[in-house]
Structures are given as structure tokens and as C-alpha cells.
Amino acid sequence: MNGSPTSQGMRESALLPQMVELIEHHRCACPVYARMLDAIGHSSGRRYAHTQELPWLPVRLFKEHALISTGREQVAVLTSSGTTGANVSRIALDRDAAEHQRALLTATLTTVLGPRRLPLLIIDSPSAVRRERSSIRGATVLGVMNVGREHVFALDGEQGIDATAVENFLQRHGHATFLIFGFTSLVWTRFYAFARSRGFDLANAILLHTGGWKKLADLAVSPREFRAGFLDATGLRRFHNFYGMVEQGGTIHIESASGDGFYCPDFADVIIRDPQTWEEAPVGTEGVIEVLSAAPRAHPGHVLLTEDRGVVHGIDDGEWPGKRFSVLGRLARAEPRGCADTLPETAYGARS
Amino acid sequence: MSLDTRLRSVFNTVLELDKTVPDSALRYQETPGWDSLGAVLLISSIEDEFKVEIDTDRALKMDTFSGAAQLLRDLGVRD
């Protein structure tokens, strides 16, 4: 997408030198990262022919260690949405990194939304961008607000629907293209039933949503049911789910309009790995999602093994060039604990 | 009222600025309040005040007071 690489091969060729440069940058800037690379046989000077060979870090490392590659003043520490304090990633950002993330997120969103900022109904409460700004939730809402205008929050301080605010918004903006954004579980549990009961016409809406797949799975709602539910009840037909994580802020993998999978932005890629061999899994085969992004410079989050299961459905055969993939859920059992001494060597990406 | 005066008034209200701070000192991420949330609120208030629409790219690049004033002139707002 973004119009640049016209094939997966071109993407990988363009990405490889950027990723190698980033590895060297983080090796110099983050001594802990450098020691980890040395320990797994990725010492300085090693050459890489493919992005699949690059050493990855398990995402859980960021929940247990402060990995920082910037000596500059940190303007924010972003946290993930984990349920316990011990299970939260803390990502330090300097000013450049924060700005870079904002620019990348916005650029990716404009590829599907166009250059105009659309009226935006946010399925969240105003406190998300005030009290909880350092959480990934707040930062994401704030990031999306950049592509919207005349923002209205649909939830009140108690996370209940603010019916008047929603109705006023739709009365004012419902006749032309407008944007709805929220976390998937909030959109479904707070907004869907309300919209259905009021008989809202959302045919002009573009629904942008992210995260919350686990909560949705708990509610036994599949992506297909989610879309069908909205279409039947409200006429809403344009959906863009997106996938990202606090450890790679600003890098989002966005779903095409047809819903044929998530696609990577130009500066990123995914590799699905077989959890037995750690080799790349063939198209159509489930595995663990590794995410690569040329964006992170303030912390070594450029090649990460996530704790999510996924599958690549096809390569260069969909709406945009590159891989199209789905996120199937979280790994069933507790994943690598993240400390170097408890992880099998291969889990860091070392090849024998 | 001149464009700059009207614009400064929007800045003062949204960012709760000290009126003695000169226009030339107003910069994104340096002026207190003009952070990422402040930027979003500022763009919305400028659109309201001047009845213009600012696209995503221009909104993101607006990082000084003079830049904001120039942006409005580019959009056809008269002094």
C-alpha cells in the first residue's frame, strides 16, 4: 500500500538495508540489545541476505526490561493495555520518536481515508486522551484524532453511551461521509446495540477499529459477524480494522475495504513463523506473528516476535501488493518469559 | 480585527497562553499546551473561527504561529 513497493519482493529488498542499518543503530545505542545480539550469534558485521534472517526480540522483553536507544530527553512513556502492572510494556519516546509515530500513523490512515479530515465520532470517553494519554489506548485515540475533525466522544466518563452526543453528531454529519473510530470491543459492546436499537443509518460511515479481539472472542463474535451485524442493522459497509502494538507505535497494519486481510505499510512487514522450527510458515499455515518495522529508533522494537497467532492468506494477490494476513488470537499458553536465560536460543532468531 | 490578532486569540484560548508571549515564540512541542492533543484542538478551533477546512497533511505540518497564519492566507483568508 501507500503506492510504493509494487511487489513483496520489492518491499523486502527495500526494507532489508533499512533494517540492517537499524540493527547497527540500536547495537550502538542500546548496550543491552548489543549484548543480546552477541549472545545469539548476531555480532557486528554479520551479513543478511533476507529479512527472515534478522534477529528478533520477543515482545515480552519490553514488559520486563527498559530497552532504550535514545540518550535524549524522554517526552512520554507509553504503556500497553495489559491488565496488571507487571504485564505492561513501557516504551520510552523522545520527541522525534513521538512525532515520527504521529506522522506514520497519520500517513497510513490517509491512504485509506484520503487527505480530508472527516467528522469523527469516537467510541470512547474524553478521559482517554486526557487522563490516560500515556496508555496505548489514549495515544491511539489521539493519533486517529489527527485524521478527524469536529470530534465527538460517544462515551461518558462511566463508559456508557452519551446518547445526546451521538444523536447530535449523526444529525449534523450523518448525511455525508464521516468517520467512526473505536476499540473493537467497545464498538461492539457499547455502540452496536445502541445503534441498532435507535435504527441509526450509518451508510455514510467509515468504521475504523482496532484491538480488542480477545474480548470479542470472549463474546463469541467473529469478524464476519461483526461486519454482518453492522451492515444489517445500520447499513454500515466500510470497515477498516487495524493491527498494531505499543512496541511498534505508529506502525499499523490496516485491513482493506474488502476485508481480505491486513496489509503492511511500506516501511514494515510481517513474517509468520512455525513455532516448532521458527522457519517462515507457508501461505495458509498458522503460526506466530513476527513484525518488522523501520520506524523504531528510540528503542529496539524494529523486529519483534509477538504473542499473537496469525496466518498469511496470500502474497501480491489482493487489493494491495504484499502479504495479506489475519490475526487469529493470542498464543494459547504463556509465551517465552522474555529473560535471556529462560528462552530457547532460537526464539531470539538465531539460526543454527 | 486582523488575521494575526484573531488567530492569536484562538491560540490564547485553546492553549491558555500568557498574552505577553510573543507570536514568534509559539512553537509546537515547545509552547506549554501545544502538544499532540493541543495541536488537534487548535486545528479544530482555527477551522471554527475562520470557517476553513484544513487537510490532514497541512494540519500535521502546522508547527509555528507564523506557519498557521500563512496556512490561513493560503486557504484564502484575508487579513
Side-chain angles (χ1 to χ4, degrees):
Chain A
M1 55 190 291
N2 294 11
S4 319
T6 53
S7 71
Q8 179 63 22
M10 279 183 66
R11 172 190 303 272
E12 290 179 18
S13 302
L15 205 51
L16 183 63
Q18 296 177 60
M19 299 307 296
V20 169
E21 188 277 327
L22 260 184
I23 289 170
E24 292 314 310
H25 160 75
H26 290 299
R27 190 197 302 278
C28 294
C30 179
V32 179
Y33 177 71
R35 283 200 293 277
M36 283 191 281
L37 290 190
D38 279 345
I40 58 172
H42 286 258
S43 299
S44 186
R46 180 165 167 159
R47 300 179 81 84
Y48 302 96
H50 301 284
T51 49
Q52 290 86 342
E53 298 166 6
L54 302 173
W56 69 76
L57 298 186
V59 76
R60 186 171 286 258
L61 273 186
F62 291 90
K63 294 183 166 74
E64 296 169 356
H65 300 276
L67 296 171
I68 298 170
S69 301
T70 175
R72 300 179 57 195
E73 183 195 359
Q74 292 156 25
V75 295
V77 177
L78 277 184
T79 56
S80 60
S81 49
T83 49
T84 65
N87 207 21
V88 167
S89 285
R90 301 176 69 80
I91 305 299
L93 296 176
D94 60 26
R95 186 171 293 177
D96 286 352
E99 269 317 288
H100 193 44
Q101 289 192 2
R102 185 171 85 128
L104 291 176
L105 174 70
T106 308
T108 304
L109 290 175
T110 56
T111 60
V112 295
L113 301 175
R116 284 186 68 190
R117 290 163 43 251
L118 297 169
L120 172 58
L121 179 66
I122 302 163
I123 314 300
D124 215 316
S125 65
S127 66
V129 291
R130 298 190 185 274
R131 289 203 301 273
E132 301 158 39
R133 285 175 68 182
S134 61
S135 68
I136 186 65
R137 176 173 168 183
T140 305
V141 172
L142 196 47
V144 173
M145 283 174 77
N146 282 297
V147 297
R149 63 184 170 86
E150 301 190 55
H151 316 93
V152 167
F153 288 88
L155 304 186
D156 58 27
E158 278 74 51
Q159 307 293 309
I161 280 279
D162 182 342
T164 311
V166 174
E167 282 166 349
N168 287 346
F169 177 92
L170 292 175
Q171 208 158 35
R172 190 161 175 198
H173 300 294
H175 58 279
T177 307
F178 66 96
L179 197 55
I180 302 173
F181 168 69
F183 288 87
T184 311
S185 59
L186 283 178
V187 170
W188 186 255
T189 58
R190 300 291 190 278
F191 184 63
Y192 168 70
F194 175 70
R196 192 172 65 168
S197 70
R198 299 293 171 106
F200 288 150
D201 175 3
L202 303 178
N204 288 322
I206 301 172
L207 173 57
L208 201 59
H209 63 106
T210 187
W213 54 264
K214 185 178 179 300
K215 287 177 187 160
L216 215 58
D218 292 345
L219 297 166
V221 180
S222 68
R224 189 184 298 267
E225 286 168 302
F226 180 88
R227 282 180 169 236
F230 267 106
L231 178 62
D232 290 349
T234 68
L236 205 165
R237 60 184 68 244
R238 264 194 82 181
F239 302 83
H240 291 287
N241 191 1
F242 66 84
Y243 171 66
M245 58 205 65
V246 69
E247 296 84 359
Q248 280 187 357
T251 304
I252 57 164
H253 307 270
I254 198 159
E255 189 184 40
S256 66
S258 67
D260 66 356
F262 290 112
Y263 289 80
C264 307
D266 294 352
F267 54 89
D269 205 1
V270 293
I271 294 170
I272 305 296
R273 293 207 179 263
D274 178 330
Q276 304 299 322
T277 64
W278 299 111
E279 296 294 327
E280 183 168 17
V283 168
T285 304
E286 211 183 299
V288 185
I289 302 175
E290 175 187 328
V291 286
L292 298 90
S293 170
R297 292 197 78 84
H299 68 281
H302 48 305
V303 192
L304 297 174
L305 188 70
T306 72
E307 297 179 345
D308 296 328
R309 293 181 297 115
V311 62
V312 169
H313 300 297
I315 301 173
D316 295 337
D317 68 342
E319 213 163 307
W320 293 303
K323 293 177 180 173
R324 54 187 183 87
F325 68 102
S326 287
V327 181
L328 303 171
R330 186 78 54 150
L331 289 171
R333 62 184 176 79
E335 254 309 277
R337 292 293 305 153
C339 298
D341 56 353
T342 59
L343 254 186
E345 187 180 67
T346 49
Y348 284 105
R351 297 303 184 89
S352 51
Chain B
M1 213 176 357
S2 77
L3 184 154
D4 279 17
T5 311
R6 284 169 69 197
L7 182 60
R8 177 59 193 251
S9 166
V10 173
F11 269 72
N12 286 347
T13 306
V14 176
L15 305 180
E16 298 176 0
L17 289 179
D18 176 347
K19 289 174 187 164
T20 61
V21 176
D23 293 349
S24 59
L26 302 179
R27 287 179 183 279
Y28 176 61
Q29 294 292 23
E30 288 178 20
T31 302
W34 196 356
D35 54 12
S36 45
L37 178 59
V40 167
L41 301 176
L42 199 51
I43 290 287
S44 293
S45 297
I46 291 171
E47 286 184 325
D48 279 351
E49 169 65 24
F50 292 94
K51 305 288 179 269
V52 292
E53 194 181 313
I54 300 170
D55 68 27
T56 304
D57 195 40
R58 284 178 155 175
L60 220 59
K61 288 177 180 153
M62 195 191 84
D63 58 2
T64 59
F65 179 87
S66 60
Q70 186 57 48
L71 168 59
L72 288 170
R73 291 187 181 97
D74 291 347
L75 292 172
V77 177
R78 301 251 178 100
D79 275 294

